[in-house]
Amino acid sequence: MAKKKKISKARFVNAKITSTISITLVLLLLGVTILLLFLGNGISTYVKENMSFSVMLSNDISESGITKIRKNLDAMPFVNSSRFISKEEAKEQLIKELGEDPEELLGYNPAQDVIEIYLKSEYTNSDSLESVTKLIKAENNVDDLLYQQEAVDIINNNLTKITTVLLFLALVLLFISFTLIRNTIRLTIYSKRFLINTMQLVGATGRFIRRPFVANTVFIGVIAGIIADALILGSLYYFSKEFAQLSSIISVTDLIIIFSSVILMGVVITSIATILSVNHFLKMERDSMFYV
């Protein structure tokens, strides 16, 4: 009798471990997909905010005029940061690129004083750039705002496509995840089908029967979610050593949302899957249970 009890207990523990591992792997896959969505958004913001736009200044502008324009630019809501490049710095850059001094060839320094600005990511689309250009050109002693329109359009189009693909992938994986977790839970509950039927026969309500099953699988879902989060965090820690920019692409807030989402999905998916699985056996006739 004691031996049978030990075997039964061992099977129960093994079933729990198997369910936890199965759900962990599914949640890990789902968590990685969510992480990729956030990384895609982070990369989009990082790329857009590291694109420089050159504000060309008049040749006769004074130092006080440069300081004033830069202050005005920094105060604009669409400017993330700025830096000043003098004519001399620009000439040095030209010498490096051309291999000779353009001032010696032309008799004058062709470079202009420039303020390089970096826009906030939400203002780097074509429509916003038109308004930004008009506002900057309206400043005194500003000749022009130069940027590569084609490069901006290519970046925006590619990032939009990548985001769309990742969203579609996330939805597909969400459906697959639910199906896999539901099948895992149904197999776990399968061994208890006669117990469910017996509880019905003695007058237990469906809600009463479902409650312990839901509580058990939700607990497994939480544990699986925590393990999946730990694996994702470990992977991020490893890759952050290889790619230093990773910390600037994805924030702590993003990580909290990702980790919370994984655990929440573990709870929600296991709850719904358990309710559907128990309901399946609640509706089944006792004789049919022998042939399932």
Side-chain angles (χ1 to χ4, degrees):
M1 185 72 178
K3 192 177 179 181
K4 284 185 178 180
K5 195 175 180 181
K6 281 182 181 179
I7 292 169
S8 178
K9 191 176 181 180
R11 284 177 180 174
F12 176 74
V13 171
N14 287 337
K16 265 199 167 185
I17 292 170
T18 304
S19 299
T20 304
I21 292 170
S22 300
I23 295 169
T24 297
L25 292 174
V26 175
L27 290 178
L28 177 62
L29 185 63
L30 209 51
V32 169
T33 308
I34 297 169
L35 175 63
L36 287 174
L37 277 171
F38 275 86
L39 280 174
N41 184 58
I43 291 168
S44 170
T45 302
Y46 181 82
V47 170
K48 288 177 180 179
E49 292 186 350
N50 280 276
M51 290 173 63
S52 64
F53 298 79
S54 301
V55 180
M56 313 303 294
L57 304 178
S58 304
N59 288 322
D60 56 350
I61 190 170
S62 63
E63 285 189 21
S64 59
I66 292 170
T67 304
K68 185 182 176 183
I69 290 174
R70 193 172 176 188
K71 276 186 179 179
N72 290 343
L73 288 172
D74 287 338
M76 290 178 176
F78 48 79
V79 175
N80 198 34
S81 63
S82 68
R83 73 185 184 104
F84 174 66
I85 301 173
S86 67
K87 291 179 183 179
E88 291 305 314
E89 285 182 75
K91 188 182 82 170
E92 292 299 322
Q93 188 62 38
L94 283 171
I95 292 170
K96 285 180 182 178
E97 290 175 3
L98 300 173
E100 52 186 325
D101 190 342
E103 193 169 355
E104 291 179 2
L105 294 170
L106 301 172
Y108 66 93
N109 184 358
Q112 285 180 266
D113 289 322
V114 175
I115 296 175
E116 277 198 347
I117 59 171
Y118 299 87
L119 303 182
K120 292 177 181 175
S121 59
E122 57 267 31
Y123 292 97
T124 55
N125 56 70
S126 299
D127 295 335
S128 297
L129 282 174
E130 286 182 21
S131 304
V132 167
T133 303
K134 287 177 183 176
L135 284 169
I136 291 174
K137 283 184 177 180
E139 288 284 324
N140 290 327
N141 294 311
V142 170
D143 281 352
D144 203 359
L145 174 67
L146 301 181
Y147 61 92
Q148 294 180 318
Q149 180 66 53
E150 189 178 346
V152 172
D153 291 338
I154 289 170
I155 288 169
N156 283 324
N157 289 336
N158 288 341
L159 290 172
T160 301
K161 287 175 184 176
I162 291 167
T163 304
T164 304
V165 169
L166 286 173
L167 278 171
F168 177 75
L169 181 64
L171 290 172
V172 171
L173 283 175
L174 184 62
F175 173 75
I176 293 170
S177 300
F178 177 77
T179 305
L180 289 173
I181 290 173
R182 185 185 175 185
N183 289 339
T184 300
I185 290 171
R186 180 174 283 191
L187 285 171
T188 305
I189 296 172
Y190 173 79
S191 60
K192 306 286 185 182
R193 66 193 186 281
F194 291 109
L195 175 62
I196 290 170
N197 184 258
T198 303
M199 291 173 76
Q200 274 185 300
L201 292 175
V202 297
T205 62
R207 186 177 179 181
F208 180 84
I209 295 169
R210 280 191 296 267
R211 193 183 302 154
F213 287 103
V214 171
N216 181 54
T217 52
V218 163
F219 176 75
I220 291 173
V222 171
I223 297 299
I226 292 169
I227 296 170
D229 284 344
L231 292 171
I232 293 169
L233 185 61
S235 302
L236 283 171
Y237 178 73
Y238 172 77
F239 285 112
S240 65
K241 288 183 175 181
E242 302 293 324
F243 307 99
Q245 295 88 353
L246 194 61
S247 58
S248 58
I249 291 172
I250 190 160
S251 66
V252 174
T253 305
D254 292 339
L255 290 177
I256 291 170
I257 293 170
I258 292 165
F259 295 152
S260 301
S261 299
V262 171
I263 294 172
L264 182 63
M265 282 189 294
V267 170
V268 173
I269 295 174
T270 52
S271 298
I272 295 170
T274 303
I275 290 167
L276 293 173
S277 298
V278 174
N279 285 347
H280 173 74
F281 291 112
L282 284 173
K283 293 173 184 176
M284 192 178 286
E285 295 292 332
R286 186 173 180 83
D287 290 342
S288 304
M289 291 181 179
F290 290 96
Y291 306 104
V292 176

